[in-house]
Amino acid sequence: MKCLVIVLLALVTLSECLHRMPLMKGKTARERLMERGKWDEYRRKHPYSPMAKFMQTGTEPMTNDADLSYYGVISIGTPPQSFSVIFDTGSSNLWVPSVYCTSSTACQNHNQFNPSKSSTFTWGGQSLSIQYGTGSMNGYLGSDNVEVGGITVKNQVFGLSQSEADFMAEMAADGILGLAFQSIASDNVMPVFKNMVSQSLVAQPLFSVYLSSNDQQGSEVIFGGVDSTHYTGSITWIPLSSATYWQINMDSVTINGQTVACSGGCQAIIDTGTSLIVGPNTDINNINSWVGASVNQYGEAIVNCQNIQSMPDVTFSLNGSSFTVPASAYVSQSSNSCSTGFGQGGTEPLWILGDVFIREYYAIFDTQTQYIGLAKSV
């Protein structure tokens, strides 16, 4: 009996190391520019902390909507005001619509933060402008308590939008919570996760992302830990080439052993805020040609739905390790057509490995060692 109690206590302590933030999935209109090692070796470098049992935990309910974008619910202020946000590893600021955004359609169909209704809100005295590929968000900075996945971050600086680009009206989410590095944050604002670490709210200085496929439930961000039930096999650790975005070295893109893109190497970012795999036009056109796609008048790479099972895998070599994406993962099917998940990024050389890639590979983002861990999702 004594042994059973010890085992149960150990399980409780371990579960409290993980701070989960399940994601909802919704429609997206956002498009913008964009060592290997074993888990046991990593654990030796990051031993379990006995203080973890005193840290906050929590799980948000989640909804899955259409395999297009992923978002979850946070709250800001006292009493809390709730907002849905895209958890975006391709940007670094948190912002939500505000009651001062009166002329933008995008604000009218989303929840709006009212600072006068929060006893813990303070104005920051600075303006904020964030540029995306299809428009910008403009507003002001303030600070307040922000609750994410059961973790309450004190005095988090965030943006209150005063105007938003029209395309944001199509977003299911109200705003965006950036999970990239402070070096690319507008106005040098400290990102939410960095504040979690600095305020000793998480057991480890990392977070992990699982994106479900085929409209299934279960997508989540885990702050401070990793859930081994979401992946199979070992984790491959890849060092960052730049701690701005979550940027890494990509060696090549191959199909049937032939290099079809990124010849001679290129740079790529792991970006939860982009639906597709995006690259330079020439390379993307070549990939789509190899898999048998033709581009229609809307820029979509259309394929015959009957051919999916015979279409080739596409392999991405990242820092010497291969990550294969099968046609079942890179082709999406609507009611009357099928299209690939390879999108043109213009002449921008930086590749974006978005949701199409992350659905296949469970991703771990370590802010301390500045490594990304990837393992085959299940």
Side-chain angles (χ1 to χ4, degrees):
M1 183 64 182
K2 180 178 179 182
C3 292
L4 177 60
V5 170
I6 292 173
V7 170
L8 288 174
L9 287 173
L11 288 173
V12 170
T13 301
L14 183 57
S15 70
E16 289 177 333
C17 291
L18 306 182
H19 299 274
R20 301 168 184 266
M21 182 60 195
L23 300 178
M24 300 177 184
K25 303 170 67 177
K27 298 177 182 178
T28 182
R30 174 181 166 228
E31 295 185 358
R32 49 167 176 66
L33 284 177
M34 329 204 228
E35 203 173 295
R36 298 183 229 174
K38 304 294 184 183
W39 178 238
D40 289 342
E41 295 171 346
Y42 180 81
R43 292 293 294 176
R44 285 197 292 271
K45 295 178 182 178
H46 298 78
Y48 164 68
S49 168
M51 294 301 293
K53 65 182 179 180
F54 299 110
M55 298 176 184
Q56 303 175 65
T57 60
T59 300
E60 298 278 353
M62 63 81 63
T63 299
N64 180 324
D65 179 23
D67 279 7
L68 291 177
S69 69
Y70 298 76
Y71 62 90
V73 177
I74 68 171
S75 64
I76 304 174
T78 309
Q81 301 175 43
S82 295
F83 301 90
S84 57
V85 295
I86 294 172
F87 287 88
D88 179 21
T89 58
S91 66
S92 300
N93 289 82
L94 166 63
W95 67 265
V96 295
S98 79
V99 293
Y100 305 109
C101 185
T102 57
S103 60
S104 298
T105 303
C107 293
Q108 303 312 307
N109 61 357
H110 287 113
N111 293 320
Q112 298 172 312
F113 182 74
N114 189 339
S116 67
K117 293 185 177 180
S118 173
S119 62
T120 47
F121 176 83
T122 57
W123 285 107
Q126 288 178 282
S127 61
L128 175 70
S129 180
I130 303 175
Q131 185 69 41
Y132 297 100
T134 48
S136 62
M137 164 272 171
N138 297 285
Y140 299 95
L141 292 176
S143 64
D144 210 329
N145 297 335
V146 174
E147 185 272 327
V148 185
I151 304 171
T152 299
V153 181
K154 302 289 187 180
N155 302 315
Q156 174 65 48
V157 177
F158 68 102
L160 296 81
S161 73
Q162 186 180 34
S163 65
E164 297 179 18
D166 290 342
F167 85 93
M168 294 176 181
E170 302 300 322
M171 287 172 47
D174 300 315
I176 294 175
L177 191 154
L179 290 169
F181 291 88
Q182 186 173 359
S183 58
I184 62 169
S186 295
D187 292 307
N188 197 38
V189 170
M190 184 178 290
V192 172
F193 186 68
K194 185 172 183 179
N195 260 330
M196 286 186 187
V197 174
S198 65
Q199 294 178 24
S200 301
L201 299 176
V202 288
Q204 299 178 86
L206 58 78
F207 60 92
S208 54
V209 176
Y210 171 73
L211 301 184
S212 61
S213 303
N214 302 318
D215 220 17
Q216 298 297 307
Q217 304 220 7
S219 302
E220 63 182 8
V221 178
I222 304 175
F223 294 102
V226 175
D227 187 345
S228 62
T229 65
H230 285 317
Y231 67 88
T232 185
S234 61
I235 298 171
T236 299
W237 291 97
I238 303 170
L240 297 189
S241 57
S242 174
T244 49
Y245 303 102
W246 288 91
Q247 185 171 327
I248 56 178
N249 293 318
M250 186 158 78
D251 310 314
S252 64
V253 182
T254 59
I255 296 177
N256 296 331
Q258 298 294 313
T259 298
V260 297
C262 184
S263 179
C266 55
Q267 293 291 297
I269 64 174
I270 308 296
D271 183 4
T272 58
T274 296
S275 298
L276 307 178
I277 293 174
V278 179
N281 289 358
T282 302
D283 281 352
I284 291 297
N285 290 342
N286 199 35
I287 293 174
N288 280 323
S289 177
W290 269 79
V291 302
S294 58
V295 179
N296 66 13
Q297 58 181 324
Y298 305 108
E300 300 169 317
I302 303 300
V303 297
N304 188 328
C305 298
Q306 304 298 320
N307 295 339
I308 295 177
Q309 290 190 346
S310 61
M311 290 171 65
D313 296 342
V314 179
T315 299
F316 298 83
S317 177
L318 306 177
N319 199 55
S321 297
S322 295
F323 298 88
T324 295
V325 179
S328 59
Y330 67 72
V331 175
S332 62
Q333 187 166 356
S334 63
S335 57
N336 55 9
S337 68
C338 290
S339 59
T340 75
F342 303 115
Q344 295 182 346
T347 58
E348 170 62 46
L350 186 67
W351 283 72
I352 301 175
L353 303 184
D355 299 342
V356 169
F357 181 86
I358 302 169
R359 277 194 289 269
E360 286 295 292
Y361 294 97
Y362 187 74
I364 306 163
F365 302 83
D366 192 318
T367 61
Q368 179 173 294
T369 64
Q370 298 185 358
Y371 272 67
I372 288 177
L374 296 173
K376 188 68 179 69
S377 290
V378 293

